Every structure is written in C-alpha cells, then in structure tokens.
Amino acid sequence: MGGAQEFRKAMSKFATGITVVTTEFDGSVQGMTVNAFMSVSLDPQLITISLDHRTNFYENADKIKRFGVSILREEQQEISMIFAKQIDKAFHDFTMLDQIPVINDALTTLACTVINTVEAGDHLLLIAKVDEIKLDEGKPILYYNSNYHKLENP
C-alpha cells in the first residue's frame, strides 16, 4: 500500500470540475474552493461536499444549515484561487439564489440545505438537498494532475 503522497498523486489523476461553496455565518459571507463535490441522488435531489478538517468550514460545520455551490466556468480560475487561498485578494461579486450567496456568473449555481453530516477520516461529508438551481452556458474549469485546465473540445 502506498503512502499519503502516492495516494494524493493517484487521486490527482481524476479530473474534476471546480466549485466554490458559500454560506453565511459569523455575520459575513464565507467561501471555499471545493473539488470534492458529487451528485448523490436524483429523487430526492441530493449532493455531497467534503470538508477538510483543517478548514474554517469544518470548524464551523454546526453553523452551516444552508450553502450555495457555484460550478465555475473556465474564465473563473482566479476566483477558485482566491477561495483556495492560493492568492490573497478580496472577493465580493456574489449574487443571491434562494437567499444563499453564490458566485455571480458561475456556470451553474445550487442553493442547498444540509440534511446529514458524516465523519469520514480527516474530512466531514455534508449531504444536502438541492432547493434551487440556476443554469448558464459556458465551459467548465477543470482540475487535473494538481493543475487547472480548460476543456479543449466541448
């Protein structure tokens, strides 16, 4: 069995889209980049996000009853980097979807309500019901082999 670095490298070979998860607690909008996101069920409409135990979201999970998921488009790489704390820059371009802050002009946005949490190793899984969906056109930004990529052939 491989070590942590080998596992991390192996998982980086799975291409994913990039989301920014947003919510409000402690009197302000909070957000973080999340690529551990997946749909779980069509009926009811459920999704899951995974929160690293070292994040502010994990530490405040008990305060998060609702959150937004913004699936980023290829032009929004910088937004991902801001919420991943890869660059230090303020961000305020939010819009509201079902009273939840989401990233303006994202490829798709979801407003969700947490229905369950599951501890899973060094992460916490938030399972949430999708309350509202807004679809837009464009191409996604992808994350593969620990780097950002653009979809060449849509």
Side-chain angles (χ1 to χ4, degrees):
M1 177 114 168
Q5 282 303 106
E6 186 176 17
F7 182 72
R8 181 184 303 265
K9 188 172 182 178
M11 294 302 99
S12 78
K13 301 301 182 186
F14 183 66
T16 64
I18 299 176
T19 71
V20 170
V21 174
T22 46
T23 192
E24 291 185 85
F25 59 82
D26 295 340
S28 66
V29 175
Q30 308 283 332
M32 68 179 286
T33 296
V34 172
N35 68 341
F37 158 83
M38 68 177 195
S39 64
V40 175
S41 170
L42 288 175
D43 187 16
Q45 296 173 353
L46 301 176
I47 58 99
T48 296
I49 61 169
S50 181
L51 306 177
D52 187 302
H53 74 282
R54 297 170 294 187
T55 64
N56 187 36
F57 269 57
Y58 180 95
E59 292 172 7
N60 290 282
D62 59 322
K63 298 177 187 174
I64 302 172
K65 305 301 181 210
R66 299 193 71 216
F67 62 86
V69 176
S70 301
I71 300 173
L72 300 185
R73 62 177 69 244
E74 65 182 8
E75 299 86 359
Q76 295 177 311
Q77 177 178 330
E78 182 178 272
I79 296 170
S80 170
M81 295 173 78
I82 290 168
F83 286 102
K85 299 190 182 343
Q86 295 170 335
I87 56 177
D88 186 20
K89 187 175 180 180
F91 182 85
H92 304 287
D93 194 15
F94 299 103
T95 190
M96 300 301 276
L97 180 67
D98 196 28
Q99 302 176 341
I100 298 295
V102 292
I103 304 297
N104 194 29
D105 290 328
L107 189 58
T108 296
T109 52
L110 310 171
C112 306
T113 300
V114 176
I115 62 164
N116 200 2
T117 61
V118 178
E119 290 285 344
D122 59 3
H123 280 64
L124 178 68
L125 305 179
L126 297 187
I127 301 167
K129 178 181 159 296
V130 176
D131 301 313
E132 190 77 31
I133 300 169
K134 180 181 179 289
L135 298 170
D136 209 339
E137 296 298 319
K139 295 181 186 176
I141 183 85
L142 301 177
Y143 203 67
Y144 170 74
N145 208 20
S146 302
N147 288 299
Y148 292 95
H149 295 275
K150 293 181 179 178
L151 190 62
E152 296 298 323
N153 299 316

